[in-house]
Amino acid sequence: MPALASHRKPRTRVRSTTPAVGLTTAALAGVTLLSTQSATAAPASPKPSIEDVQKKVDDLYRQAGTATQQYNQAKEASAAQRGKVDALLDEVAKRADKLNDARRELGNYAAAQYRTGSIAPSATFFLADDPQSYFDENQLMARMAGRQQKAVTDFRTQQAATSKKRAEAAKSLETLTESQATLRTSKENVQKKLGEARVMLSKLTAEEKARLAALERKKEAEAKRKAEELARQQAAAKAEADRKAEEAAQQAGSGGDTGTGAGTGTGSDSSATTKADKVLAFARAQIGKPYVWGATGPSSYDCSGLTQAAWKAAGVDIPRTTWDQVEIGTRIATADLQPGDLVFFYDDISHVGIYKGDGMMIHAPKPGANVREESIYYMPIYGSVRPA
């Protein structure tokens, strides 16, 4: 018995230590799991640098500019389509009136025929008072039959024309619906991009905003330096051109030329200068007015709205969007820019300004900014045109 008792005692100890082992294992497993999770957890995303913020915000504003041009394009298309739909609906109404007139005339003939009935030609001949009366009446009936046939033909023609116009109107209405949907989407895209830019800027501390402003000043200074360099190059080129023109005039004078061609300008050059002066006068008068996407004046503008209004003030109608404006007039190299020329920016041609001379332009920059003068080198140049 003692041996049996001795055997039971260790078994009891084993049972009493089992929970302790289980708890220890569980605790170790928990520590291991926490350690593993801590080790594998993704580190917090580093805060973007001010340079990254500047680049991102500039890109968002550029994307908003692109969306604004899409909005302008869709709005213009929608307005044009609405005019086309209204014209087609008016035409359908007119065609319907003509169709009803033809239907009434055809109905009158049918009613007359029903009342009078029809008699065979042989019976008409025998019932006539004399042969001449028969032939007179037969000729009259032939003319009446001809008018009836014409009434039928007119009815069918008007019916076909009305159906065609109704189909055109229905198709035009579908196109209008698509244009309006594009307009809504473009508007939403503009608002989305501007909202993202505002959120990014709102998260900056006062110190970060100061650093961002310093970066902007540095960017503006570099752009101004490039503008001044362009101004020097253009001034030198003009001086050289004037010198050559003066030499040519002197040579012509020494050659005994008695003609009246001493002037170096032309009527077209004078006209272009006058237009450019009007364009710049209008643009200068808008300085200080706010940028509002989709606006065409008079209290606010987007970039292409300003250029369109400025050239309209000079008597020249140009398209609404940057994408259409860049296709008009004559392409001009940057070195050959003259006041009034349009300068376009970015690869997607989402911005435009009016060249004022000396490497500077007047433009409506972006939301939150006013119409102002700025170096054309503030943004990457795509190309330039002279509208007229």
Side-chain angles (χ1 to χ4, degrees):
M1 290 299 293
L4 183 59
S6 174
H7 175 72
R8 289 175 180 170
K9 193 172 183 180
R11 288 183 60 187
T12 303
R13 285 196 299 268
V14 171
R15 285 198 300 268
S16 64
T17 57
T18 300
V21 173
L23 288 173
T24 303
T25 304
L28 288 172
V31 172
T32 303
L33 179 60
L34 289 173
S35 299
T36 303
Q37 289 177 340
S38 299
T40 58
S45 300
K47 191 171 184 178
S49 66
I50 292 300
E51 290 78 8
D52 290 338
V53 170
Q54 182 190 41
K55 183 178 179 181
K56 180 63 176 177
V57 169
D58 286 348
D59 189 53
L60 285 171
Y61 278 133
R62 182 192 61 76
Q63 292 177 37
T66 302
T68 296
Q69 295 306 313
Q70 292 171 340
Y71 171 84
N72 293 339
Q73 188 178 56
K75 185 177 182 181
E76 193 173 48
S78 181
Q81 196 62 32
R82 167 56 67 185
K84 185 176 180 180
V85 167
D86 290 343
L88 283 171
L89 291 177
D90 288 342
E91 185 67 20
V92 167
K94 293 176 183 177
R95 292 287 182 182
D97 289 341
K98 292 180 180 180
L99 179 63
N100 290 333
D101 290 342
R103 183 182 284 109
R104 280 192 292 271
E105 184 177 0
L106 192 60
N108 290 336
Y109 280 119
Q113 188 174 14
Y114 175 79
R115 288 194 301 271
T116 59
S118 60
I119 304 176
S122 56
T124 303
F125 176 78
F126 286 115
L127 292 173
D129 294 336
D130 56 67
Q132 186 61 46
S133 296
Y134 165 76
F135 288 114
D136 290 342
E137 184 176 353
N138 192 47
Q139 189 175 12
L140 176 62
M141 294 301 293
R143 286 200 299 270
M144 290 181 65
R147 285 197 293 272
Q148 289 177 3
Q149 183 60 41
K150 183 178 181 301
V152 172
T153 301
D154 288 346
F155 174 77
R156 289 175 176 171
T157 300
Q158 295 300 334
Q159 190 178 42
T162 302
S163 298
K164 181 180 179 181
K165 287 298 178 184
R166 281 175 178 164
E168 289 180 12
K171 185 175 180 180
S172 191
L173 279 170
E174 290 179 2
T175 303
L176 176 60
T177 301
E178 293 173 359
S179 297
Q180 290 173 335
T182 302
L183 184 63
R184 286 192 297 271
T185 300
S186 299
K187 183 177 181 179
E188 291 169 358
N189 287 339
V190 174
Q191 294 171 333
K192 178 182 177 183
K193 298 302 179 184
L194 295 179
E196 291 177 9
R198 283 193 293 267
V199 168
M200 286 198 72
L201 292 174
S202 67
K203 292 180 179 180
L204 297 179
T205 65
E207 180 184 355
E208 289 171 334
K209 289 179 180 178
R211 289 169 57 197
L212 182 61
L215 287 176
E216 285 294 324
R217 288 192 296 271
K218 181 178 179 181
K219 180 180 178 182
E220 290 170 1
E222 177 61 18
K224 185 178 180 181
R225 184 192 65 77
K226 291 182 178 179
E228 291 170 348
E229 178 61 27
L230 176 62
R232 285 192 292 270
Q233 292 174 359
Q234 289 181 328
K238 184 177 185 304
E240 179 65 14
D242 291 344
R243 185 187 65 78
K244 290 182 177 179
E246 186 177 353
E247 287 180 356
Q250 290 175 351
Q251 290 176 359
S254 63
D257 186 358
T258 58
T260 58
T264 58
T266 65
S268 60
D269 289 340
S270 176
S271 174
T273 301
T274 301
K275 289 177 181 176
D277 290 341
K278 291 180 179 179
V279 169
L280 286 176
F282 179 91
R284 288 191 182 99
Q286 313 314 308
I287 291 176
K289 293 183 179 180
Y291 174 103
V292 174
W293 63 271
T296 57
S299 58
S300 58
Y301 298 89
D302 64 17
C303 65
S304 56
L306 176 63
T307 53
Q308 183 187 46
W311 271 96
K312 187 177 181 66
V316 178
D317 289 325
I318 65 175
R320 174 66 180 93
T321 70
T322 55
W323 301 322
D324 292 327
Q325 290 179 8
V326 77
E327 298 295 334
I328 64 172
T330 306
R331 293 299 294 267
I332 302 296
T334 301
D336 299 327
L337 282 170
Q338 294 180 9
D341 292 345
L342 301 182
V343 186
F344 299 87
F345 302 91
Y346 301 111
D347 290 340
D348 59 0
I349 322 175
S350 56
H351 193 72
V352 62
I354 302 168
Y355 190 68
K356 67 174 288 291
D358 296 331
M360 303 293 286
M361 66 176 169
I362 299 174
H363 70 142
K366 59 185 178 182
N370 297 331
V371 175
R372 66 192 183 202
E373 292 185 9
E374 198 153 47
S375 167
I376 62 172
Y377 293 102
Y378 185 76
M379 295 166 283
I381 298 173
Y382 172 83
S384 306
V385 301
R386 186 165 297 151

